[in-house]
Each structure stands twice: as C-alpha cells, then as structure tokens.
Amino acid sequence: MDIARDATLHQRILNDLESQIVSGAWAPGHRLPFEVDLAKQYGCSRMTVNKVMTQLAKAGLIERRKKSGSFVTQPQAQSAVLEIHDIKTEVASLKLAYSYALLVTTERDADIEDRRRLGLEKAGPVLEVRCIHLAAGDPFCLEERLINLDVVPDARHADFSTIAPGPWLLERAPWTAAQHNIQAVGADRDMAKLLKLKPETACLVIERRTWNTIGPVTHVRFTYPGTRHRVVADFQPSSSQPR
Amino acid sequence: MDIARDATLHQRILNDLESQIVSGAWAPGHRLPFEVDLAKQYGCSRMTVNKVMTQLAKAGLIERRKKSGSFVTQPQAQSAVLEIHDIKTEVASLKLAYSYALLVTTERDADIEDRRRLGLEKAGPVLEVRCIHLAAGDPFCLEERLINLDVVPDARHADFSTIAPGPWLLERAPWTAAQHNIQAVGADRDMAKLLKLKPETACLVIERRTWNTIGPVTHVRFTYPGTRHRVVADFQPSSSQPR
DNA sequence: CCGGAAAACATGTATATACATAATAATCGG
DNA sequence: CCGATTATTATGTATATACATGTTTTCCGG
C-alpha cells in the first residue's frame, strides 16, 4: 500500500507497523523493535512512537510487557458483534412517535419448530409473543418472539401489553451470547397485511437467538419493510478504539 | 460506580467527560469546555487533556472542530460489527464451485454520487469495478465497488479479471474502520437479469465502506438473492465500558 | 549454589514547549 | 457596505524531558 505523501509521522509509523503485522511478516509472538529504536529509525522522539504503540495495544494488535517489549498478539477471530438494539430508541431517533401493540401470546410445549428456533434439545414450556411496533401510527416492524420458560419462568406473569418483551427480558435475563441472522424475504400475505404492504414487498428479516449462562433465553424475528428501514453496522476492528 | 482512588489523571478526566456525555447531562451538540480550561480545572497540562479528547473523538463520542471547540455527537443508533466476509470462502462453505467474472472497470474523477458513497469531501480519482460471483455456475452475488485511487493508487494497475477486488484490497490496504449498511430491496430489471431472477425478487443488499488510517479506501455493494442466501453474525456481549 | 538486594531496562504517564493548520472574527480599503 | 486580507483562536502534531512502575538480570553475601 502506498502511503500518502503528506501523511503525518504518526500515521506513517502506525501504517508501517500495522502492515508488518497484518501482512504476517511479523508473526504472532514476534517482538517489535523497542520504542527507542523505532524512534531512532524514524528520527523522532520516543513519545511519538509511544503514542502509536499505545494505539496498537488498545486495538489489540500488540501486547506490551514492561522490560520485555511489545509483541504481536494472536489474531483473534474476527467475531461480529451486533448490539441488541431497542426499537423504541430506533423510532425515537427518527423523531417519530413510538407505540406498541400486543397481538397475541401463547404458552405451549415446544414443538419441533420452536426447538429449532431456540436451539433446544428437548421439549419444554415456551411462550410465544407476537407484537407490532409502530412509528407515527404506521407499522414499523413485526416482532415474533419465543421465550424459553425453563430459563425465564417469570415471563409467564409478565404483562406484555404494557411493556414490550425485548426491554422486559433485557432487565430480567441479560444475555451472554447471541446469534444473528439477517435476510431479505418477500412479504407473504399475512405479513403484508399486518405491515400494510403489498404482497411480495422486500422485507428485512432479523432473527436473533440469545443465551445466558443457563441456556437459550429467547428467539426473536423482526420483520421490517426493507426499503424503508435498514441496519447500520459500525466497525472498529483494527486500530480504532472500540466504543 | 466509584472511581478508583489511584486512577491516573488521564482515566479520571476520561471518566468525568464520558459520564457527562453518556448520562445526557451534556446533550448532543453541547460544546465541551476548551482544552486549556479543562487543563486549568484539573491542574494539568493541555497535552494531557488533548490526549483524552483525542481518544473520545476516536471513540466517536465527541466531534472536534478547529477554532470552534469540541462537541458531543449525536448518539448513533446501536452500532454493530459485522465480519468482513470473503465470498470465495462463503461459497466454498456451501461446497459449491466458486468462480468469478469481471464485468467492467471504469476510472474517473469522483462525481457527487461517488463522493457520497466513499464519504469524500473533495473530488479525486476513483476506480469503479463491477463484477459477479458465481457458485456452481449460477450467479451468487453482484459486486459494485468504488476504490479511492488517492489512497490506493496501485489499484489502477491491478488485474481484476484474475483476482477479485476484495481479496486484492485486503492484502494491500488493510482497513482500520468500516461501516455496514444492510437492507432489503426488490431487484430492478437490470439486477434481475444479471442475477437471473424475476424482477422484484427480494434481494439482500450489503453495503460496506472501509477506511484505513489515511482515508476512505473503498465502498462496495453486494447484492444477493435474498431468499437463498443470508448473513450470519455471531455475537458477543459488549463488555459495558469500552476503555 | 541459593536467595535476596540492587541495577538495568522498557514501558507508562505527565509536563512544558513549539509550531502547524484550519476556521472564524476583525479590520480595512475601495 | 462588500469583499479581500489579516489576526485570533482552538485544535493537531511533535519534541525533549522527567520521573514512576513493573520486570528481568546481575551480583553478592552467606
């Protein structure tokens, strides 16, 4: 990669070191030159090098040990993190009035499909909740949720007509792991009707399964009219500081 | 939560400022005290305050404008990190034969739309690449890419008929930040033809903009037939306080 | 030869200073 | 009163310096 001619020294050093690491020229475990040596090499002060190295360390590319030096870390698999988003906030950020309506709740023993959705091995009591989120009175997204009552028994007595199951669960059963599944589908007849769309309109479907230390907590499927809404993902893998 | 008594000054300032921002005491748009004033307030040098503010800016909590000061940014909707995926690998994991075809490349000066896609302020040379990825001979996804030649001038002489621009860039211009945008759209006539679909079929569109330390590197739009393919994102809970 | 004190060493944090850069504010000529 | 020039201001980057903090190495007494 070429470096812009007018890049700052900081950027140049950062780029150089990063290239060595990312390219694999410096394998994990490799010790970087000492700060003073790099400073001499670039003809700058140790402070400048120090700031670069601090940034690399924050980014997780290197690990620093006093007296020993700085070392390239094992590349951690690039895991994708999608933060659980709150629809109310999402709507609020659009400066639209938020409202919410419970459609139906059903308690039953997990059937095959329920077990697939939750990733359950055996049957067990589950609660199905269907509800709709509205923005400025219009359908914003449909929520189809399955809650594992073995893990969250209290959900039986929750009043989901006044609070959406998402926020309710977030308070009571914080998740420790989750998996997302995003796809585009054409709306079927029922979906189109609920979201007030023409059939076959492209919709964005976000499915999320969450676990806590006990087991699978919930599976939820959000269906958004795809052309109006979107998911934004900000990235911060390498040398930038995570939020 | 109390702040450790032996926290460094840097940490203390960071914590204080962060608290004001996340608590909402300083609303988005609020101007932070000037560096010199904060320095006076904490009885430290401007450099120390500057480092903290630089960090906050990198974290996206504040925006800094010369002469004007530093301002709390609008809280961007819940961010998410999606893995940069390699289509060849994706296809291979389906145990399908992968192939690739270059459709067209165009070099030009960035027009308004190009600048929007890349997030460029001024015009500059860009390279547009359209190509298609095939799985077992069938269209798998269409790639529409824009490369910032100011940052990656070598791309001019790359032969994208033999290597896809994604892998090529990954080697030469490692990204340090990226932003994703996922939405569902119905295929238009051209898209339907290229992907061998019926018009209006729901498609998953993934847009990605990547930066390195120098500037915007590339913008790419992948269009997948949405019903056949999907994006999976694995999660980790955000360890509340990014530091 | 062992254990512990001391020295050497690399990084961590903070300071004061200097000059560059970009944006705004003030000024002045026409 | 407009518009171009200049000054001011806040941040951006870099320097040299100082001392603190953990580690590792060295060395020395027993």
Side-chain angles (χ1 to χ4, degrees), chain B:
Chain B
M1 212 189 321
D2 274 12
I3 305 159
R5 192 160 299 283
D6 58 350
T8 64
L9 185 52
H10 182 98
Q11 283 175 314
R12 254 184 49 223
I13 301 176
L14 180 64
N15 195 304
D16 289 355
L17 297 182
E18 211 174 57
S19 297
Q20 295 294 315
I21 296 168
V22 299
S23 74
W26 287 347
H30 178 267
R31 200 195 68 204
L32 275 69
F34 297 129
E35 291 186 354
V36 281
D37 296 337
L38 282 172
K40 202 180 290 177
Q41 182 183 322
Y42 283 96
C44 67
S45 80
R46 184 171 77 88
M47 271 308 298
T48 304
V49 173
N50 179 280
K51 277 201 263 183
V52 173
M53 308 265 281
T54 300
Q55 195 175 336
L56 282 174
K58 250 180 218 140
L61 283 181
I62 64 172
E63 188 186 306
R64 316 199 69 188
R65 284 198 288 277
K66 293 188 181 182
K67 166 76 187 177
S68 313
S70 303
F71 301 82
V72 177
T73 50
Q74 298 296 330
Q76 36 206 317
Q78 304 260 345
S79 67
V81 181
L82 269 172
E83 189 172 345
I84 297 244
H85 63 259
D86 179 37
I87 295 166
K88 190 171 181 177
T89 312
E90 194 178 345
V91 171
S93 74
L94 296 171
K95 297 200 184 300
L96 295 173
Y98 172 78
S99 53
Y100 158 82
L102 177 65
L103 299 178
V104 64
T105 66
T106 322
E107 185 179 339
R108 61 164 174 267
D109 214 55
D111 60 28
I112 295 278
E113 171 68 5
D114 295 341
R115 276 181 264 169
R116 193 196 57 76
R117 284 173 67 186
L118 279 170
L120 285 177
E121 319 239 321
K122 313 166 198 169
V126 296
L127 185 70
E128 187 186 22
V129 181
R130 282 166 63 94
C131 53
I132 193 162
H133 301 265
L134 307 141
D138 289 326
F140 184 79
C141 93
L142 181 76
E143 175 175 343
E144 297 165 289
R145 187 182 288 270
L146 219 52
I147 300 171
N148 184 355
L149 289 173
D150 269 338
V151 172
V152 200
D154 285 352
R156 262 193 201 92
H157 314 109
D159 181 10
F160 291 129
S161 62
T162 55
I163 183 172
W168 188 91
L169 278 167
L170 210 60
E171 268 206 3
R172 245 144 289 228
W175 48 278
T176 54
Q179 191 179 45
H180 269 191
N181 196 349
I182 301 170
Q183 59 187 94
V185 301
D188 62 27
R189 197 120 55 113
D190 291 342
M191 192 62 74
K193 194 171 176 186
L194 278 166
L195 294 174
K196 296 185 182 170
L197 300 169
K198 284 186 295 186
E200 289 312 306
T201 304
C203 287
L204 187 64
V205 174
I206 301 180
E207 287 182 299
R208 176 167 62 230
R209 189 153 50 161
T210 52
W211 291 261
N212 68 10
T213 44
I214 301 170
V217 174
T218 186
H219 175 279
V220 62
R221 178 162 44 223
F222 295 107
T223 306
Y224 294 83
T227 47
R228 270 176 51 209
H229 307 294
R230 61 189 201 182
V231 178
V232 175
D234 278 330
F235 261 82
Q236 284 168 355
S238 59
S239 50
S240 61
Q241 280 303 64
R243 192 85 359 133

Side-chain angles (χ1 to χ4, degrees), chain A residues 143-232:
Chain A
E143 174 175 345
E144 297 166 287
R145 189 182 286 271
L146 219 51
I147 300 171
N148 184 356
L149 290 172
D150 272 339
V151 172
V152 200
D154 287 348
R156 263 194 200 92
H157 313 108
D159 180 9
F160 292 130
S161 63
T162 55
I163 183 172
W168 187 91
L169 278 167
L170 212 59
E171 268 206 2
R172 245 144 289 232
W175 49 281
T176 53
Q179 193 179 44
H180 266 188
N181 196 349
I182 301 170
Q183 56 187 330
V185 302
D188 61 28
R189 196 119 55 113
D190 292 337
M191 192 63 73
K193 195 172 175 185
L194 279 166
L195 294 175
K196 296 185 181 169
L197 300 170
K198 285 187 297 189
E200 290 312 307
T201 304
C203 288
L204 187 64
V205 174
I206 300 180
E207 286 183 298
R208 176 164 65 227
R209 189 152 50 161
T210 53
W211 291 262
N212 66 10
T213 44
I214 302 172
V217 173
T218 186
H219 175 278
V220 61
R221 178 164 45 224
F222 295 106
T223 306
Y224 294 83
T227 46
R228 271 177 50 210
H229 307 295
R230 62 187 203 183
V231 178
V232 175

Side-chain angles (χ1 to χ4, degrees), chain A residues 32-106:
Chain A
L32 276 69
F34 297 127
E35 290 186 355
V36 281
D37 296 335
L38 282 172
K40 200 180 293 177
Q41 182 184 321
Y42 284 96
C44 67
S45 81
R46 185 171 77 89
M47 272 307 298
T48 303
V49 173
N50 178 281
K51 278 201 262 184
V52 174
M53 307 268 280
T54 300
Q55 195 175 335
L56 284 172
K58 250 181 218 138
L61 283 181
I62 63 171
E63 190 186 305
R64 317 198 68 188
R65 284 197 289 277
K66 292 188 181 181
K67 167 72 189 179
S68 312
S70 302
F71 300 83
V72 177
T73 50
Q74 298 297 329
Q76 41 209 324
Q78 266 179 17
S79 67
V81 182
L82 261 178
E83 213 165 312
I84 300 259
H85 66 255
D86 178 39
I87 294 165
K88 189 172 180 174
T89 312
E90 196 178 337
V91 171
S93 74
L94 296 171
K95 299 203 183 297
L96 295 174
Y98 172 78
S99 54
Y100 157 83
L102 177 65
L103 299 177
V104 63
T105 65
T106 322

